[in-house]
Every structure is written in structure tokens, then in C-alpha cells.
Amino acid sequence: MADVLNIENLHVSFDTYAGEVHAVRGVDLHIASGEVLAVVGESGCGKSVTAQTIMKLNPMPPARIKEGSITLDGIDIVDAGEKQMEDIRGRLVSMIFQDPMTCLNPTMKVGKQIVETIQNHQKLSREEAHKEAIRLLEMVQIPNAAQRAEEYPHQFSGGMRQRAMIAMALSCKPKLLIADEPTTALDVTIQAQIMQLMATLRKETGTAIILITHDLGVVANLADRVAVMYAGRVMEQGTVRDIFYHPAHPYTRALLRSLPTIDTDRGAQLVSIPGTPPDLYAPPEGCEFASRCSECMKLCRANRPPMYTAGEGHIASCWKLHPDYPGEKEGR
């Protein structure tokens, strides 16, 4: 199946008064139609910047795409102008943001906002667009959709606002949906409902989904593949089973160890990753995780490891995967 999105060697920087922030550094990602790719990692690792660069939502300047390519449904995003991007946003790619309250216009009725989105990309009358908006609200399981369409965002609960954002994102039948932490600030019951809704929509519409999240439980239930990011780079990619049961990078293993489980003793101290991420004003020359890694070797601090194959469709950036690595028995 052909890829809907293909990102190769993407580098994105931000020019600030303090210097250049190397936010995204050599990211390679791809996603096929109907697939869910989860992008996980600590805050500040470049997840949202990568997603927003796909839609060119980062203001330029201060943002700069220094290097690399982004191909969306055969279209070169890097060289696309703003007028072309206005057509691409919504029609080919849509985004669900972390906080729907700040993304919905508080002075406009929810239904009207969806109608405007539909009319911007489809040749429908206002009456037809209104009917489609109600259908979309029903599709995302908002009760009394016709009545709710006439209400304002502040009259919706957090979960309903998120559903309205999903309806708006799907209004033009995009080939790619980017969900940037769509369950942030929602209680666990509503989180489960939103994830179930996205799984259903993915099956019914065939839309590819990039899911950006900190919640590895959500990843396990919804995603097909996982990309683990750290300090602006992808450290490991593989299927959900690869990442959870056969993690190949020390950072991935550290993330998984930090998760509480049903076997964790009550009152027991949770495992954390010592240290802090590197300064992206001056990224290290070696492996970005070296200063926090319990398996670090001298080579790790001096040279950045390339991607090595850890299994079929499973890759990781770690020197211990080098074919000449002697293994634990022979020492380092």
C-alpha cells in the first residue's frame, strides 16, 4: 500500500535571540492509508513541531525547514506556498489539537464553525453544508446533534468539544488526521470513548492517523506502529508488539520501566529516568541519550549511532545493535 505521508531527513530549527534551537533533527517517518502511527516521547522532544511542520503551522520565521522532504499524497509540502497549503489543510490533512477550547471560536456556534470548514473545501450550499455538519456531529456520537449545533463551545463539556473538533477535522474527508494529545485533560472514561471513536472512524473512513501522546496505554490499544522520539530525533520505530515486548533502545526501555503496572506495590516509588534532556541550542555530537543512559559506552558520547535493524520493520539508533558489537559476555 502506498504511503500517504513520507518524511525524510527533516530538520526544523527556530531562530531566537539566544541562538538557534535545533527542534527536529533528521526525522524519517512514513504512514500508509488506514494506519495509525503513534509518536511518543518526553515533552520537548519534537513531536508537535514535526506534526505542525506537516501542515506548515509553525510561523516562518522564526521556524525554518533547514533540510529534508515532506511528501503528502504526492505533494511536496516543503516547497508549497501558503495559498496551496490553505487548500491542503482540511482537504488532505487535518489536525486535532490538545485543547479544543482554545481552537474553537468562542463567539461562533459549533455547527456554524463546521459549516464554514466544509464550504471552504467543498462546493456545497449552506443548507447542504449544515446537514453535513449535523451528520458529522452524529457520527462522533454527540446526542441531539441538530440542537447542539446551535450551541456555543462553552456550552459543551470537554469531551464533547473534543468530539466536535474531530467532526470538524473529518469534515473534508482528509487522507491524514494528526491527533496531538487528543485526550489531554479528559477523565479516563471520556479518554476511552475518544480513542474508541478514533478507532471506529479509522476503520470506516480509511483515514491514516498520526497519534501524538504521552500515554503508552493509549498507544497499545490504538496504534499499529510506534516512533519513539527524543531530543528532536526518532530513536526507535517498530510495531506496537516490537516496542512493548522487544524494545531495542535504552530510552524506550527506560520509558517502559517508568510506567506503573497492576503489580506495582501500593506506595512504592515509581522508576524515573535520571538527568535531563540535552540542550537543543547545542545538541551533543554523540547519542542524545548518552548522558542519561545506564548502558552508555565511550563511543556513544563521541559519535551518533545510525539506525540499525532490530527485526523486520523494527529499527533503532543504538551502537549495541551494530553487527560487530561483542555482546555483554565479551565486555564493552
Side-chain angles (χ1 to χ4, degrees):
M1 189 177 294
D3 290 336
V4 173
L5 175 73
N6 195 3
I7 300 175
E8 294 183 0
N9 194 33
L10 181 65
H11 292 255
V12 181
S13 289
F14 289 84
D15 294 316
T16 72
Y17 290 112
E20 180 182 354
V21 180
H22 303 266
V24 174
R25 306 161 54 240
V27 164
D28 293 310
L29 291 174
H30 66 91
I31 183 169
S33 178
E35 186 180 27
V36 178
L37 172 67
V39 183
V40 304
E42 293 173 87
S43 295
C45 70
K47 305 185 301 294
S48 294
V49 172
T50 301
Q52 290 168 4
T53 303
I54 296 169
M55 297 185 70
K56 277 198 166 178
L57 293 178
N58 297 314
M60 299 183 182
R64 282 187 296 125
I65 300 176
K66 295 179 61 179
E67 190 179 343
S69 65
I70 304 173
T71 306
L72 176 63
D73 195 33
I75 298 173
D76 185 346
I77 296 297
V78 174
D79 291 334
E82 182 56 30
K83 189 173 181 180
Q84 186 179 7
M85 288 305 304
E86 288 177 3
D87 177 60
I88 290 170
R89 297 184 195 117
R91 184 176 63 84
L92 289 180
V93 57
S94 292
M95 191 166 185
I96 305 169
F97 296 91
Q98 293 183 33
D99 184 3
M101 194 60 184
T102 60
C103 299
L104 292 168
N105 188 330
T107 67
M108 287 178 64
K109 295 176 181 178
V110 170
K112 186 178 180 181
Q113 296 185 53
I114 299 175
V115 166
E116 283 196 352
T117 303
I118 293 170
Q119 287 193 303
N120 282 339
H121 296 280
Q122 300 182 46
K123 294 180 180 179
L124 295 178
S125 67
R126 192 157 192 84
E127 183 179 351
E128 291 171 329
H130 184 70
K131 289 180 180 177
E132 178 65 9
I134 293 173
R135 186 190 71 80
L136 287 164
L137 290 174
E138 289 173 343
M139 184 177 71
V140 296
Q141 302 170 14
I142 289 183
N144 304 318
Q147 178 184 335
R148 287 292 191 172
E150 300 301 314
E151 295 181 354
Y152 293 90
H154 72 271
Q155 295 175 282
F156 280 44
S157 67
M160 289 179 65
R161 283 195 294 267
Q162 197 62 284
R163 290 171 189 267
M165 280 293 299
I166 294 173
M168 190 180 300
L170 294 173
S171 62
C172 297
K173 303 178 179 64
K175 295 192 174 184
L176 175 65
L177 177 65
I178 302 172
D180 189 355
E181 299 189 39
T183 57
T184 297
L186 300 179
D187 63 60
V188 291
T189 304
I190 302 301
Q191 284 184 22
Q193 292 174 1
I194 294 296
M195 288 300 105
Q196 182 58 48
L197 172 62
M198 291 179 66
T200 301
L201 293 174
R202 166 248 192 133
K203 290 178 182 177
E204 292 179 351
T205 64
T207 300
I209 299 174
I210 294 178
L211 175 64
I212 298 172
T213 183
H214 291 280
D215 191 337
L216 293 178
V218 168
V219 171
N221 288 325
L222 184 63
D224 299 307
R225 291 188 299 112
V226 184
V228 181
M229 288 191 69
Y230 182 78
R233 295 186 66 235
V234 174
M235 309 303 277
E236 183 170 0
Q237 278 193 68
T239 65
V240 168
R241 188 169 188 82
D242 288 334
I243 298 302
F244 279 85
Y245 294 102
H246 308 287
H249 197 282
Y251 176 60
T252 307
R253 292 195 287 271
L255 281 180
L256 293 172
R257 283 196 300 269
S258 68
L259 292 175
T261 69
I262 57 174
D263 299 322
T264 302
D265 293 335
R266 196 173 191 178
Q269 187 173 357
L270 294 177
V271 177
S272 63
I273 304 174
T276 57
D279 183 357
L280 293 184
Y281 281 107
E285 293 186 7
C287 176
E288 289 76 8
F289 190 58
S291 64
R292 307 174 72 185
C293 181
S294 60
E295 305 172 43
C296 179
M297 304 175 286
K298 288 183 179 180
L299 176 64
C300 301
R301 297 183 183 277
N303 297 280
R304 181 180 300 125
M307 282 289 184
Y308 290 107
T309 300
E312 185 176 354
H314 185 193
I315 56 175
S317 174
C318 181
W319 284 118
K320 294 183 76 173
L321 295 174
H322 191 287
D324 294 332
Y325 178 71
E328 297 295 335
K329 290 182 179 180
E330 296 179 42
R332 297 181 182 177

